[in-house]
Amino acid sequence: ALMHKTSITLFSDLNTPFFILLLLPFAYLTYSNALLLWSLISFISTIIAILLLLRSYPAIWENLTMRWWALVGFLIYFPIYANFCIGQV
């Protein structure tokens, strides 16, 4: 049996070109300003996601305690935490 030697090369950027175009304006900012803006956008997106989740389950939306637990649950979820700490894309 003949064996073919193959190699798999992963390029440094695995994002789609559309995503790169979306992030292009951040390249014109300083690192600290870009991180601050990215964190703000991420936080607003998280709040919107929580509100959409709560609106899709009316029983949770009506209970104030469950609303706070949903918020806490989102914020202690490790990928969300990592996103806010290091600005993960």
Side-chain angles (χ1 to χ4, degrees):
L2 295 174
M3 304 274 296
H4 294 284
K5 185 177 180 181
T6 61
S7 67
I8 298 175
T9 303
L10 292 178
F11 298 102
S12 61
D13 190 3
L14 299 177
N15 295 313
T16 63
F18 301 109
F19 188 68
I20 294 171
L21 288 175
L22 180 68
L23 295 179
L24 185 63
F26 289 95
Y28 296 104
L29 300 173
T30 63
Y31 176 76
S32 58
N33 288 339
L35 179 61
L36 180 66
L37 182 60
W38 182 257
S39 297
L40 182 64
I41 291 170
S42 296
F43 184 73
I44 291 169
S45 298
T46 300
I47 297 301
I48 290 171
I50 292 169
L51 291 174
L52 289 173
L53 174 73
L54 292 175
R55 289 205 185 261
S56 64
Y57 295 101
I60 295 174
W61 179 253
E62 294 166 0
N63 188 340
L64 182 63
T65 304
M66 289 302 290
R67 277 190 265 177
W68 282 108
W69 277 114
L71 175 65
V72 169
F74 263 92
L75 295 179
I76 65 171
Y77 183 56
F78 185 74
I80 299 291
Y81 172 76
N83 185 22
F84 289 132
C85 287
I86 61 175
Q88 176 182 340
V89 175

